[in-house]
Amino acid sequence: MKTITRIFLLLIFCMLAGCSNHQKTKHMILWYDHPAKVWEEALPLGNGRIGAMVYGRPFSEYYQLNENTLWSGAPREGNNPRAVVALPDIRQAIDGGDYIKAAQLWRGNAQGLYSARYQPMANLFLDMTDVDTATTVFYRDLNISEAVSTVRFHADGVSYLRSGFISYPDQVMVVRAEAGKKGALNFRMRLASDLRFTTSPTADDYLVLKGKAPAYVAHRPDEEQIVYADDDKGEGMNFEVHVKILHENGTVTNDGKRLIVTGANSAVIILSAATSFNGFDKSPGLQGKNPAAEASENMQKALAMSENANELYAILLKRHVEDYRALFDRVELNLGKNDAFDTIPTNRRLNRFAETGDQGLVELYYQYGRYLTIAGSRPGTQPANLQGIWNRHVQPPWGCNYTVNINTEMNYWPAEPTALQECHEPLFDFLQSLAANGAQTAKLNYGLDGWTAHHNTDVWAMSYPAGNFNNDPRSAPRWSCWPMAGGWFAQHLWEHYVFSGNEQFLREKAYPLMKGAAQFMLGWLVKDASGYWVTNPSSSPENTFRYIDSQGKSQTGELCKASTMDMAIIRDLFTNCIEASKILNTDADFRAQLETVRAGLYPPHTGSKGQLQEWFLDFEDTDPQHRHVSHLYGLHPGKEILPRVTPELAQAAKQTLLMRGDGGTGWAMAWKINFWARLEDGNHAYLMLKNGLAHVDATDVNMRGGGTYSNLFDAHPPFQIDGNFGGTSGITEMLLQSHGGELFLLPALPDVWPDGSVKGLRARGGFEVDMEWKNGKLSKAVIRSTLGGNCRVRTHAPVTVANAQAKPSEGANPNPFFAVAEAPAVIAGNNVPAPAATLNLKETAVTDFSTEKGKTYHLTGR
């Protein structure tokens, strides 16, 4: 029987995968031979707004549902005017080396409220009846080439099939269930929620869930945990879920709580959902929209396409797949012949990856990051949070909020280079809300112009420091004292411009936000006794240091001044603002001010171990292998540490990475893929990818350490989605880089990828790149120019350009999209530095050729 089952599963897989030589079809399926036992084994569907986790249970199917605006609470005032009064004393304490006093003053005077919590919406159950529950065959999958999930099983002599998707163009979730025997489909459909809810049928085939989110969800255990308004008209988000069942043959009835399908050949379930969210600055309970109107409208629009169940499903599926593939099909990755492992379930492929070197799994993991981007962030939605749009907890880890000292930014690293630029838009829209609130925080907390945000935010665009004012003894300045988010987010705005060349976007949306962030930083900087401009107070996100106090005692510090990350963010922000103002021919005086202050910013320093200092002084690390490597911001995602331009800085960065080690949380290892790729060390980048793909079995309560869950979600642990996006970004950086004034083709190709190809990657300057390589060397490349201008290409061997006059490059790249700021000189610290790690850079050739907008250029390796 086991042999027969195995053969049947292989036949199913081959049928669904197409068994063709087309890489995209062949590999882009996650599949399993058992239902999900835990959430981290379920498979995600999404359209940017509605998310579902599909468990694939044969007889009691479970879809856990989210809606991306469904959060606890409402807009709240959390700014703290005491901060501006305490700021001089905080700075004086830091200047005097009393870092503990500085932290106490910050905690007592500068913090505000904690963020709201992202909430689960509902659970959809399909309970089959009158079936022998002994299955002989089971198969479930997620086809990320089409964003469709499938469950197949055989029971009681009948084959059953369920397929589902969530449509962006039609804003509904669609599930089709069918039986291989006429009249054999029987099930009861019910809705529930972990929040306050009621359900009621409005017809035999139509069920509505009405729910209410909490007005408050606690951050700490020593307070009332979940608080609801006294009635549905009080504070808290309202939401509705509508479900309609269409069927072929048989009947649909209701028993007051459930819809009951009896004797059908097939049935199609249409689900729509909406909340009362009415903007970041309006109460969802008192000023909210009517969720019933939006849920009903989307439902009726979908139903109007056909009254026939199977025809309606076909129409909605076609529209969904066409919309999805228009984005997903832009990029293809092939890392060689990888057929051997396709017929092994994904969880077992992952578990064996370290020994098999299954590069087909790497391809799948890469494209899965792109799938999650499309499923979790589309124009008109909220940006992806710590878990994208998928969350089952009323009290989720870290509130499932936006942690903006790395995690939210990492979510969007793949958007531009992997041709999903539209999926970046929700972040830009959100930044306008954040800047509006951030301007109030800048003024009330610090008495400054411009706008700022700290390490947490939420759907209400929280911009003040977290910590519950001075009421939480466990609050920590190492994470709350970080007013740098505006500077980092400004980089995303600039990157969208240099990838697209969209000057209207730069003028109308990006530059005003960038300028506001820079205005705040100009006010936040103070002139130090050393003569440099510094940030004071300053933290290196979530990390601490050891120092000797005035009494000769060893102490742990959280705050100092001029952390290396702070200064790198500000240099990058000022540089991008300067370039933007030149392009727009505006703000000459402001630009001159930025240029003057930039020249006087506190420079990077090397420490006694040859590392790049994390802090103003060469302090000892409390945790030498801390998950955050914030002081390498200038290496990635910044652009001031360039191995071939600033080798001393790059050597110090490499030494830092060696000291940090090759472990960490899932997202931390993903960031290290990007770091090592930027240092042109493909083998070490691949080692970090391999470490990040360590299988974390969520059913094993004793398992520890970061890696990847069976459903390929990133394991911090627990689940955080940023590691998925960081992994996809890192693989892209191994194949193509364009941050250093040129297109660098295959800059960090590991030995395990000797042959392969990639199509559709995007580079700054509006270039699109396809590449093929053999025996570890570029064989040919196709570069499409969407903007025109000079194309500078670096390769590990000379290339010929078939349809353009190519020449060796000289001087700076004349293409304005590739401006590279003059890097600051690195300064050795007070202690004698040890020899820094050496860079092992290969010989390269750099070629220039002029391009015309809309033309394609063919390069051949020599």
Side-chain angles (χ1 to χ4, degrees), residues 499-521:
F499 272 90
S500 68
N502 186 340
E503 192 168 313
Q504 181 180 1
F505 169 82
L506 181 66
R507 184 183 308 278
E508 296 177 1
K509 182 171 287 187
Y511 181 67
L513 291 168
M514 294 166 63
K515 181 180 178 181
Q519 286 173 319
F520 172 80
M521 294 303 178

Side-chain angles (χ1 to χ4, degrees), residues 36-60:
K37 298 176 183 176
V38 292
W39 191 85
E40 292 82 2
E41 292 182 345
L43 296 171
L45 295 173
N47 66 355
R49 186 175 70 86
I50 301 171
M53 295 295 288
V54 186
Y55 280 67
R57 296 174 178 174
F59 307 110
S60 184

Side-chain angles (χ1 to χ4, degrees), residues 49-86:
R49 186 175 70 86
I50 301 171
M53 295 295 288
V54 186
Y55 280 67
R57 296 174 178 174
F59 307 110
S60 184
E61 180 59 287
Y62 173 25
Y63 299 86
Q64 186 268 311
L65 303 171
N66 291 97
E67 206 277 357
N68 77 332
T69 62
L70 185 58
W71 290 64
S72 67
R76 298 180 295 169
E77 176 54 60
N79 291 307
N80 194 338
R82 294 173 60 182
V84 69
V85 178

Side-chain angles (χ1 to χ4, degrees), residues 543-547 555-557 615 619-626:
N543 204 1
T544 59
F545 55 88
R546 301 294 298 174
Y547 72 99
Q555 302 282 8
T556 298
W615 313 92
F619 295 121
E620 285 294 320
D621 292 321
T622 304
D623 178 5
Q625 296 186 332
H626 195 269

Side-chain angles (χ1 to χ4, degrees), residues 350 641 845:
L350 181 64
I641 301 178

Side-chain angles (χ1 to χ4, degrees), residues 384-404:
N385 61 46
L386 272 176
Q387 296 182 187
I389 58 172
W390 299 276
N391 166 49
R392 72 184 188 278
H393 297 291
V394 177
Q395 293 180 281
W398 302 287
C400 198
N401 63 15
Y402 301 104
T403 303
V404 297

Side-chain angles (χ1 to χ4, degrees), residues 91-355:
R91 287 171 168 163
Q92 184 179 19
I94 288 172
D95 286 335
D98 194 343
Y99 305 115
I100 290 179
K101 179 181 178 181
Q104 291 171 340
L105 287 169
W106 175 271
R107 187 184 297 110
N109 296 278
Q111 297 176 160
L113 297 166
Y114 284 113
S115 72
R117 269 55 189 144
Y118 183 55
Q119 297 293 283
M121 178 175 64
N123 305 309
L124 171 67
F125 297 96
L126 306 180
D127 300 319
M128 293 186 66
T129 57
D130 304 322
V131 177
D132 183 347
T133 58
T135 60
T136 55
V137 175
F138 179 88
Y139 171 95
R140 67 182 175 105
D141 74 20
L142 173 62
N143 180 347
I144 64 171
S145 295
E146 297 187 341
V148 176
S149 72
T150 301
V151 180
R152 295 174 183 266
F153 58 97
H154 192 83
D156 208 12
V158 179
S159 295
Y160 294 91
L161 168 65
R162 282 195 298 269
S163 56
F165 58 90
I166 303 181
S167 169
Y168 176 72
D170 295 311
Q171 290 296 306
V172 291
M173 176 176 166
V174 184
V175 176
R176 184 176 186 271
E178 62 178 292
K181 179 180 177 182
K182 289 185 178 181
L185 184 64
N186 304 281
F187 66 88
R188 294 183 174 94
M189 191 223 74
R190 56 192 170 95
L191 286 170
S193 177
D194 293 328
L195 307 180
R196 283 189 176 175
F197 77 99
T198 60
T199 59
S200 60
T202 61
D204 278 344
D205 58 1
Y206 203 106
L207 186 66
V208 174
L209 180 147
K210 297 183 179 182
K212 183 78 169 180
Y216 177 75
V217 176
H219 180 76
R220 298 295 188 197
D222 50 359
E223 57 180 316
E224 189 173 359
Q225 295 298 286
I226 301 170
V227 180
Y228 285 95
D230 293 335
D231 57 60
D232 290 342
K233 296 182 180 179
E235 194 54 274
M237 192 91 69
N238 298 305
F239 62 96
E240 291 198 10
V241 181
H242 292 209
V243 178
K244 165 85 170 182
I245 296 182
L246 297 88
H247 57 103
E248 179 190 15
N249 295 338
T251 62
V252 180
T253 58
N254 79 75
D255 64 1
K257 295 182 179 180
R258 300 170 297 182
L259 304 185
I260 302 170
V261 175
T262 305
N265 299 342
S266 64
V268 176
I269 301 166
I270 310 294
L271 181 148
S272 64
T275 77
S276 62
F277 180 75
N278 197 24
F280 76 100
D281 55 351
K282 291 185 173 62
S283 159
L286 307 179
Q287 301 168 288
K289 296 189 297 184
N290 178 9
E294 182 180 350
S296 297
E297 181 181 5
N298 289 332
M299 177 68 78
Q300 295 310 313
K301 285 182 177 178
L303 295 176
M305 296 180 191
S306 177
E307 295 181 357
N308 179 274
N310 293 328
E311 183 177 80
L312 177 61
Y313 179 81
I315 292 171
L316 292 171
L317 176 63
K318 182 175 185 293
R319 287 167 56 83
H320 159 71
V321 171
E322 287 177 350
D323 167 78
Y324 173 79
R325 292 191 66 174
L327 297 172
F328 186 79
D329 286 357
R330 292 173 180 174
V331 171
E332 296 182 22
L333 175 64
N334 185 343
L335 297 176
K337 295 180 179 180
N338 300 301
D339 300 346
F341 305 103
D342 293 349
T343 56
I344 300 173
T346 302
N347 57 310
R348 294 209 285 270
R349 292 179 74 176
L350 181 64
N351 196 45
R352 296 171 53 190
F353 177 73
E355 61 184 83

Side-chain angles (χ1 to χ4, degrees), residues 584-658:
L584 299 175
N585 192 27
T586 188
D587 289 334
D589 292 343
F590 180 65
R591 179 169 69 243
Q593 185 182 11
L594 292 177
E595 290 172 334
T596 298
V597 175
R598 183 182 64 176
L601 292 173
Y602 188 76
H605 286 58
T606 55
S608 59
K609 298 179 177 66
Q611 87 283 12
L612 187 65
Q613 279 185 194
E614 186 166 0
W615 313 92
F616 181 78
L617 299 176
D618 191 12
F619 295 121
E620 285 294 320
D621 292 321
T622 304
D623 178 5
Q625 296 186 332
H626 195 269
R627 61 193 178 278
H628 286 259
V629 197
S630 304
H631 43 316
L632 296 195
Y633 178 94
L635 176 63
H636 183 277
K639 53 183 181 291
E640 76 176 21
I641 301 178
L642 303 171
R644 296 176 184 273
V645 178
T646 59
E648 190 175 359
L649 271 173
Q651 287 172 345
K654 181 175 181 179
Q655 180 67 10
T656 297
L657 286 172
L658 293 173

